[in-house]
Amino acid sequence: MAASYGRKVTLQWGSTTIPGVREKGLTINGEAVNVTSDDDNGIQALLSEDAEQSHEISLSGVSKSFALREAKAAGLIQKMVTLTYPDGYVITGTFNLGSYTEGIPYNEAVTFDATLSSTGPVTHTSPSI
């Protein structure tokens, strides 16, 4: 993948593109399984696959829509999320809106931060070459 601007990575929350997003972050978590025993002489041994894998997407930006706030307040917190990179790489899955916060300074733009956590399988699709 060639270098690209973060602003060209798009995020869909259901069928809605959230306007005002400035920053997006992706974390792919994996929980290791420790199988260390007396036989390992105090040297940690881990299985070669994760016990559990999850994805987390963080968002921050200027509030130009309150779709995430309204979804969180109404308890409608799970939707299909699609993260699309400029080269065509796509990450898709159902995500849970875990947290939503707003910054409401006196003389500045209202801002927001949100965290989305995967629930169920997440697919990674590489672009066709």
Side-chain angles (χ1 to χ4, degrees):
M1 177 175 142
S4 62
Y5 290 107
R7 69 176 180 253
K8 293 188 177 188
V9 176
T10 61
L11 181 125
Q12 293 272 141
W13 165 256
S15 60
T16 303
T17 299
I18 304 299
V21 174
R22 286 185 174 168
E23 293 187 28
K24 295 161 282 293
L26 172 67
T27 303
I28 302 172
N29 299 303
E31 298 298 323
V33 178
N34 188 328
V35 294
T36 309
S37 68
D38 291 347
D39 303 331
D40 298 306
N41 293 316
I43 306 295
Q44 178 174 273
L46 303 174
L47 287 181
S48 62
E49 64 181 283
D50 292 332
E52 184 174 284
Q53 189 182 75
S54 64
H55 291 65
E56 186 173 282
I57 297 172
S58 58
L59 304 171
S60 64
V62 176
S63 297
K64 293 185 176 181
S65 157
F66 296 102
L68 293 177
R69 181 214 296 157
E70 291 165 1
K72 187 67 176 174
L76 305 171
I77 59 172
Q78 287 187 358
K79 288 216 181 204
M80 183 63 65
V81 169
T82 303
L83 195 61
T84 305
Y85 290 79
D87 68 351
Y89 191 85
V90 178
I91 299 171
T92 305
T94 302
F95 281 75
N96 192 74
L97 176 55
S99 67
Y100 175 84
T101 59
E102 286 182 1
I104 310 170
Y106 169 72
N107 206 20
E108 298 289 333
V110 175
T111 60
F112 74 93
D113 292 285
T115 302
L116 307 170
S117 299
S118 64
T119 177
V122 175
T123 60
H124 292 245
T125 306
S126 296
S128 299
I129 299 175

